[in-house]
Structures are given as structure tokens and as C-alpha cells.
Amino acid sequence: MVQSSVLGFPRMGANRDLKKANEAYWADKLSRDELIKEAKRLRLAHWQIQKDAGVDVIPSNDFAFYDHLLDHIQLFNAIPERYSKNKLDPLDEYFAMGRGHQKDGVDVPALEMVKWFDSNYHYVKPTLQDNQTFTLSSDPKPIREFLEAKEAGIATRPVLVGPVSFLHLGKADRGQSVDPISLLNKLVPVYVELLKKLKEAGAETVQIDEPVLVQDLPQKVKDAFKPAYEALTASGLPKIVLATYFGDVVHNFDVFPSLQSVYGIHVDLVRNPEQLEAVAGKLGSSQILSAGVVDGRNIWKTNFKRAIEIVETAIQKLGKDRVIVATSSSLLHTPHSLEAEKKLDPEVADWFSFAVQKVSEVTVIAKAVTDGPAAVREALESNAKSMESRATSKRTNNKAVKDRQAAVKPQDHERQSPFPQRLAAQKTHLKLPIFPTTTIGSFPQTKEIRVQRNKFTKGEITAEEYERFIEKEIEEVVRIQEELDLDVLVHGEPERNDMVQYFGERLDGYTFTTNGWVQSYGSRCVRPPIVVGDISRPAAMTVKESKYAASISKKPMKGMLTGPITCLRWSFPRDDVHQSVQAQQLALAIRDEVVDLEAAGVFVIQIDEPALREGLPLRAGEEREKYLSWAVDAFKLSAAGIKDSTQIHSHFCYSEFQDFFHAIAALDADVLSIENSKSDAKLLKVFEDKEYPRHIGPGVYDIHSPRVPAEQEMKDRIGEMLQWLKPEQLWINPDCGLKTRQWKETKAALTNMVNAAKFFREQHA
């Protein structure tokens, strides 16, 4: 019999229940016990969904209040002393590490948060000390949740992040020099202790995720697998299924001899189906293969015919008793259920599969290869019709879009003049001071904004009433920025629901869900639009609001756009057309908007590309360079249709640019703002080393936390930046948009930021 397996299930619930509960707890509207009770309800509901679908191997410990890496930080007591010394309740200590804490005399920032491989999910980075120790928590979460499921009559396979990945994905704390992987011999015994306790609790098999095996690894990290897994597979411990995902493992086959003692290995056969034969050939004589054939990263229905062929190939090589049908990765990256989508066009809805549906897909494939196609004939026939419908639909093709793409010339990617000439024109036109201050775009989205948007969506107020409300909000945001004395203003984006969804709703080629929420970080959920066909811009998307904002202030107004790569990466893209084609279509649409903004009197335009690094292929080499080539071309195509005197900004998440700095430089943006507040300022050294000539705005404070940094803290941060950047290069800004923050903390933080900038302005007068 071929078993079915799910590597992980979304945490938020059918209606973003966990988000609502967490935020109520943070606002002191829900007690600790009530939050814990709601979390238990969600876990039980998610296990029951999988059990009812007939899944054989159901995960536990895939739930997290905030983040699964943060769970492991607390599980192994790898908690920096700045948090542990405050003796907070364990749950509050956990949230303090995730989002910061500024309450009752305790003031600590959050730990650094970065993207989980090439996804839009963010994890909290393990932050380690020179004298680091690890101990198992007194009430280990994996055991508690395994027993919780067991009590409900559901057998589960606990999920852990492996010790090599935990350390390799971590970093030395500021002021520390420890190499994380050198701590392996301290950490592995704690894993062994945990596995013993899981065995005692009744766990026969444990899933240990080592996703770093899809990356290029230093030899010392590769060498860590041997001692780690010799210890983790010792007699008396549960059997280990080692899981990899988001890429292939062939380049790390030299590690496989160190993994011969694990029970099985999971590989992603959606992302890299071609690795199957090589991986099967490297397995030990009794090792099982967990075949990830149901996509954990996208929303398209699984092509049953193709997936069954892959699994049958594995069976031919290994036998039915050594193959498990599985999701390619955790389903964390997919929405909860398609059942909630009542407004989707039936034709399009028939092409989709969300987490609940993917759980069933896994069981259908397993049954088909176990009992034969006749056992699931109805499901296979229905699936084949869905595949045919999508392949032949007229919705996917637009000749005018294809013709415009064919007419793009190399010169269409270039600005009129090189940066020095542009800078001179911009200085004359914009008249900005040294250390200019700005924000990244969005301002707090209040309850009133959400209520009015909801009323407009439901038809309870007219378009004219909604426009008047939005103009009032824009005027208020502009006046606040003028009072704060910011130098380059924004309109605040009160009309926007999401930085990608808003644009997708105004572009042909997209479709949208009502409840297709996916966790981005903590309680932050996004509802990615879905690219179903060729993309074009039928009308202006942002000009009206930006033009109005510019008309009511004498200060420069910055138009805010989302760049082509981010629009693509933060959508669910088509899987039938190469992403470079979709990116160029988006670039042409955004180019039209940039030209229209300039014509409307908006002479600073920000084209956000926070997802550029996220899209970077996980391994260096030809594939990465090809990606960077078409991604850079898409950005340049979107930005090149304007005069020298109009200033182009772009924003990037995270400051780890070393691997592809040449591409950052090639974008030719006049000003880069980067999310750098939680990173070591030394990372800015790359701009000095490469003699980067253009302007840079590293974030001076973290907007993911409600904490308000003191003015002196920001001065210190700016001072660190000036060790690596020239004064005339440096812009002063937060590290990201302010949409999720409250007005009180926003005004306080921006006041401190502006005062810090003025201090340095006086120093350099």
C-alpha cells in the first residue's frame, strides 16, 4: 500500500481565526487562556480535516502562534538574555522575540525576521551567542501537541526543523562572533532528548525538515549532517523522515552517505521532478521515498495524470511499500479552502485547489497507485476535464499584449541619461536638503478606513461618497506629514487593500479570491491575486489619488507603485507560461502608469521591489543569472519612460545583497530604500566596497513592531550607517510601510526620526 502524507497545514484557520485571536490578545481583549483554547480548537479542526480526507500521515507541531522557527528558539531555550532577563510569561516572551515588547517597563525590539527561502513567508532568525547553551523547555511543545492529537484519536507525525537547518539559518547576535554551525555538538543532545520523550509519548516516526539541503552549502555545514544524524537515528528513538523542499538535492548527494540511517527522505518533485531517478538511486536498500507531487506553494489543481506517472516511476524503482505520496512542502503557503470562494467565476474556480482540496488530492493519487485508476475513476475524469478547460480557455491569451511584448526594443529599458546628469536635474527640480526624510509609502489603515472600504465594496455607499472619504484621509495624512516636517511626502494609500492585490484588481489577466488568505508573518496575512491570463492595464490605477495629494502640498509628493517582480512573486503566478513573460507584461503596464504619474505632476515615483531577492533561485549559477537578467530588465522597462528630473525610488526587503549586488546596481534606480533596521549596519559595507554611486535609505527603525525607538537610538543607527555611506547618499526613512501600525506610535517614531535627521543635517551644514 502506498501511504499519503501532508508535510504541514496552514495555521490561520478558515477565517483567519488565529490572526484575530492573536491580535485580540495583544490588545488585552482576550486572555491568555482564551488564546490557548482557540489555538487548540484550530489544531483539532485541522487534524480532523486531514483524517476525514483519509490522509495516512498527518503532521503535528506544524502549528505556531507566530512562527515555527521562533517555536524552536523557545523550545531549545536559545533565547537572548535581553528577553529572558525580564521574566515575562513564556507566551509574552515568545511574542516579544517575534514582534518586540514595550510595556510595563520592558522595552525590547523584535529579533530579525527574514524570508523563508524563496517564499513570501517570513521566519524569525535564531540569534546566537558566543557562550550559547541549549536546554529543552520544561513543557516541550512537540510532545504536548502530539499528545493532544493522540487524545483526540488522531495519530500524527511530529514535525521538527532539523539541527543543521536551525543553525545554518541562524546568525551570531550583534557583538558576537560565533559561527552558528559550530554549536552543533551542543544542540544535538537536546534533539536526542526531545526524540526520546516523543518516543515515550508514542511517536513512531518524526519528520525532520532540513530544507537547507536544496541550497549550496559550505563544506562545514555538509559535514555537520554525519554526526547529527548518527545521533538522531540511534537505537530507541523514533524513525526519521528527513524532508527537503523548494529545490533539488542532487548537488548535495555527497551528504547522502551520512543519511543512510534515516527511515526515509522527502523530496520536492513539483519544483524539480527530474531529480527522482537520481534520488531513488541514492537511497539505501530499505529507505522510503516521500514523493512531493502535490504543490504546497501554488493554487493550481494537481495534474493527476502527471503526478501519477511520477509516483508510478518511483514505485517501479522502489516498490509500493517504499513510496509515500505527499505534498511538495507544507501547505502553509496556500489558502485554507476553496469552499469559501462563493464569488469566483466557476470556470476559473475549477482550475484551483487550496489546502483542504490538496489534502484530498494526496489521498486520490495514493489510492490510484495502490488500487488502480478504476478505484478513483470519477476523480481522475473530473481532473482531466479541468486540465483541458484551462489549457483551451480564451481567458489566458491576449494578442494585443503579445504584440506589444514583441515590439519591445533594448533602448526601451534605459533612462534618458546616466545617474550624474539625472541627479543634477533632480537637485534643481526637487530642492531637497541633505539627509532627506521620507516614508516607504503606506500610513496606518484605521478601522474607519476598513469600514468605509467594506461599505463601498458592498454597495452601501456611492463611488462619490467613497472618493470624498478617501480625499479626506489623504488630506489628513498630508497635513500630518507636513507637521512632522518630512521632506518627501506620500498620499498614505488609504484606498489600497494590499500592495499587490490593489494593482491586480486594476489589471486584466488577474482574478481574486474572497477568503484566499495566506500567512506572511506573525498575524499578517495576505490575499495573493491569481494570474490566469495575459496581463495589461486598461486604465490608470493610482494617478487620481497621487495627483490630488500633490495638489494640496508644496512639498514633493511620491507616487507609489508595486514593481513587476513583486506583483508576480506575491501573486500566485501561472504555471503554464514562464515567469519572465509574465514579468514583462507587468512591466509594460507599470511603465504606462509611471508615465501618467509624471504627466500629472508627480516627480518622485517609487517602484517597490521587496520580492526581488525572494525570487532569486536558491543556488548560484546559470539559473540565478538568467533570473536576474529578466528581473532587472522588467524593472528598468517599467521605470525608463520618464525625464531625467523625475526621481525613481525602489524599496527592497532585507539588506543581504552580497550575492547579487551587480543586479541591484544594474536596476539604475536613483534612490534605494532597504529594510535594514534589524540587520548589522556592516552589511552596508557592500555599497562602499562596490563604490555604489546612487542614493540609499537603509531603514532606521523596525515597522513590524509597535515599539517606538528613542531619538538617540535612531541617531546611533544613522551614525553606524555613515561609517559605510557618504552623507550626500543617505536618506532617512523607516524600513517598510506603516500600514499595520497605529497612529500614536507612528507619529512618535517619525518625530524621533525627523529630529535625528535634523541633528545630522546640522552637523553637516
Side-chain angles (χ1 to χ4, degrees), residues 335-525:
H336 183 83
S337 177
L338 196 57
E339 294 167 2
E341 301 304 323
K342 308 301 183 185
K343 296 181 179 179
L344 270 177
D345 184 311
E347 180 192 19
V348 173
D350 182 54
W351 304 341
F352 299 156
S353 176
F354 294 175
V356 170
Q357 290 71 45
K358 288 177 184 291
V359 164
S360 295
E361 288 182 338
V362 169
T363 63
V364 168
I365 296 166
K367 191 170 182 61
V369 297
T370 298
D371 300 330
V376 287
R377 177 173 288 114
E378 186 176 335
L380 297 183
E381 290 176 351
S382 175
N383 182 265
K385 289 179 181 177
S386 299
M387 298 299 112
E388 177 68 14
S389 167
R390 183 181 170 209
T392 57
S393 174
K394 294 179 180 179
R395 304 178 71 132
T396 61
N397 297 297
N398 183 324
K399 185 177 183 300
V401 173
K402 289 181 170 62
D403 288 346
R404 187 178 183 193
Q405 285 185 279
V408 172
K409 302 178 183 66
Q411 58 265 35
D412 294 334
H413 300 85
E414 305 301 330
R415 294 286 297 272
Q416 289 180 351
S417 304
F419 176 70
Q421 289 95 309
R422 300 200 307 264
L423 178 61
Q426 291 161 18
K427 281 182 175 179
T428 301
H429 190 198
L430 299 174
K431 297 179 173 61
L432 295 173
I434 193 171
F435 302 111
T437 56
T438 189
T439 62
I440 302 303
S442 60
F443 270 82
Q445 292 244 332
T446 62
K447 182 178 180 181
E448 184 182 8
I449 289 173
R450 293 192 295 272
V451 166
Q452 292 299 316
R453 184 187 299 135
N454 194 39
K455 284 184 177 180
F456 176 58
T457 301
K458 291 180 176 179
E460 295 175 5
I461 59 175
T462 66
E464 291 75 16
E465 289 172 318
Y466 184 62
E467 272 187 42
R468 285 198 297 272
F469 170 77
I470 292 298
E471 286 189 352
K472 178 180 72 69
E473 289 293 320
I474 290 172
E475 184 172 6
E476 184 175 344
V477 168
V478 169
R479 298 299 169 234
I480 289 170
Q481 292 174 89
E482 289 178 332
E483 290 168 10
L484 290 166
D485 204 19
L486 287 159
D487 297 307
V488 175
L489 313 187
V490 296
H491 79 282
E493 305 177 18
E495 78 286 4
R496 302 189 191 182
N497 43 20
D498 173 83
M499 66 182 291
V500 175
Q501 182 186 346
Y502 179 83
F503 289 92
E505 287 173 345
R506 287 152 182 79
L507 293 168
D508 289 341
Y510 271 96
T511 195
F512 306 88
T513 63
T514 303
N515 207 34
W517 298 99
V518 177
Q519 184 182 13
S520 179
Y521 66 85
S523 68
R524 168 77 169 148
C525 296

Side-chain angles (χ1 to χ4, degrees), residues 515-549:
N515 207 34
W517 298 99
V518 177
Q519 184 182 13
S520 179
Y521 66 85
S523 68
R524 168 77 169 148
C525 296
V526 294
R527 190 157 41 113
I530 302 168
V531 184
V532 295
D534 290 332
I535 301 164
S536 61
R537 186 194 79 142
M541 302 179 284
T542 68
V543 173
K544 180 172 61 179
E545 292 81 10
S546 293
K547 182 177 181 180
Y548 173 72

Side-chain angles (χ1 to χ4, degrees), residues 117-138:
F117 293 83
D118 58 355
S119 76
N120 189 29
Y121 177 78
H122 305 63
Y123 75 95
V124 177
K125 207 169 180 67
T127 303
L128 306 165
Q129 316 302 316
D130 291 350
N131 61 349
Q132 184 70 52
T133 60
F134 302 100
T135 57
L136 190 63
S137 68
S138 58

